[in-house]
Amino acid sequence: MSEQVRVLVTGAGGFIGHHLTKYLADRGYWVRGVDIKEPNYEPTAAHEFRPLNLRYETDCLRATKGIDEVYALAANMGGIGFIENNKAVICHDNSLINMNTIEAARLNGVKRFLFTSSACVYPGYLQNEPNPAPLKEDDVYPADPEDGYGWEKLFMERVCRHYLEDYGLPTRVVRFHNIFGPLGAFEGGREKSPAAICRKVALAREGEAIEVWGDGEQSRSYCYISDCIEGLHRIMRSGWSSPINLGQDRSVTINELVDIVAGIAGKRIMKLYDPSKPQGVRGRNSNNTCLRQVLGWEPSTTLEAGLAKTYEWIAGRLNISRASAIGSAATP
Ligand code: NAD
């Protein structure tokens, strides 16, 4: 790069933001990372990491000062259990983060702004079957997104369009479909299904049952983190400003996901169904036609390969916690 591009990653202490920060720094960008917390499992690769609260305008102005391109990932979010039980706080926090970040980016003359939306913006009425048609970008209206989290994302998608049309701020909107991989939350309530299943399988003994939310026949597609990061960078570099899916277009049920992880672990695992737990929509998959047309590229890591790396990492973390628990119990 002739002149070093200065990039801001918001949510750089989180799962995707941390991986993205490393990727961009490796490719010669100057990266400022911002978050209310540092990354959980390893130090940030950001050239500068600032602990800022992006719900506040003043912190957003500090974060975007002197920045060419913003990857806006900061959000208060988690898996289906978290988003179904925290709608007010999700709407409150994320609306403030999003509006203050994009306005500060405009005021500070940022040249490109990428917002990370979600497949949760798609209407519930298209996702009532276990194997529905893969969702394409313009299926989003008439709107009936996920309550709370999905509405907040959909509103911000429109805000991005208005900032482009009214102020000429080049915006990008990426709709993620279930991103997973090492260094993501795997316990504590904010983890998503692949990480939760890897944890449960790693902790189970041969032949034991693990808890599965619902009847396990709900289906999703899952995208490995390295594909997600590469896609994000490619979309930022493209001239595409309409919302675009970023995910895999192979859909599997939760039951199949459990079987794949059990196979990776080399364990026979039974399933204990809990219909009282949140399950989200019945079936969801990504239509990647637009992604292929715009980028000439799409995610290629297989679910099995991605889960093998994720399982290894989560099982390793659980061993570290067990070892330190035994160590502290042994300490007089
Ligand atoms: P994450 O929770 O790991 O990261 C989000 C980060 O934002 C966290 O580190 C959090 O501390 C930070 N944050 C929260 N409030 C903040 C504030 N007030 N100021 C500054 N930072 C704050 O989540 P992730 O999986 O890395 O997701 C990144 C983005 O992608 C989010 O916008 C999320 O909604 C979106 N997304 C993720 C997925 C997925 O499968 N992981 C799917 C769809 C959309």
Side-chain angles (χ1 to χ4, degrees), residues 48-223:
E48 180 185 295
F49 187 93
R50 291 209 198 164
L52 294 173
N53 187 336
L54 298 173
R55 295 201 302 271
Y56 302 126
E57 281 174 68
T58 44
D59 280 12
C60 289
L61 286 166
R62 285 188 197 112
T64 51
K65 197 168 175 49
I67 289 294
D68 298 311
E69 299 181 355
V70 175
Y71 289 84
L73 277 76
N76 191 355
M77 63 96 63
I80 189 70
F82 180 80
I83 65 175
E84 285 203 359
N85 290 304
N86 293 278
K87 290 175 192 162
V89 75
I90 284 173
C91 290
H92 174 268
D93 288 3
N94 296 344
S95 307
L96 289 173
I97 292 170
N98 293 338
M99 293 308 302
N100 287 329
T101 306
I102 197 167
E103 176 64 1
R106 177 182 82 86
L107 293 172
N108 276 324
V110 160
K111 300 187 187 88
R112 286 181 194 209
F113 183 93
L114 182 150
F115 172 63
T116 49
S117 185
S118 164
C120 289
V121 296
Y122 286 112
Y125 57 79
L126 294 179
Q127 305 174 77
N128 289 330
E129 304 297 325
N131 277 308
L135 295 159
K136 50 188 189 316
E137 285 75 0
D138 55 11
D139 285 337
V140 80
Y141 294 110
D144 175 27
E146 172 89 34
D147 217 4
Y149 179 68
W151 276 108
E152 164 263 302
K153 289 289 191 195
L154 189 59
F155 177 68
M156 185 57 188
E157 289 194 359
R158 295 197 74 105
V159 171
C160 288
R161 196 182 91 197
H162 297 318
Y163 268 67
L164 171 68
E165 290 171 353
D166 293 1
Y167 298 130
L169 172 63
T171 51
R172 310 277 181 266
V173 173
V174 182
R175 290 183 187 149
F176 289 148
H177 289 252
N178 298 303
I179 313 302
F180 73 100
L183 308 179
F186 62 94
E187 59 189 355
R190 290 196 185 235
E191 65 278 18
K192 311 268 174 53
S193 48
I197 289 168
C198 286
R199 184 197 72 235
K200 290 175 187 178
V201 170
L203 291 173
R205 282 190 290 269
E206 169 67 19
E208 226 173 41
I210 65 165
E211 184 191 71
V212 172
W213 291 9
D215 65 0
E217 286 304 302
Q218 61 274 39
S219 67
R220 298 289 185 275
S221 68
Y222 296 95
C223 177

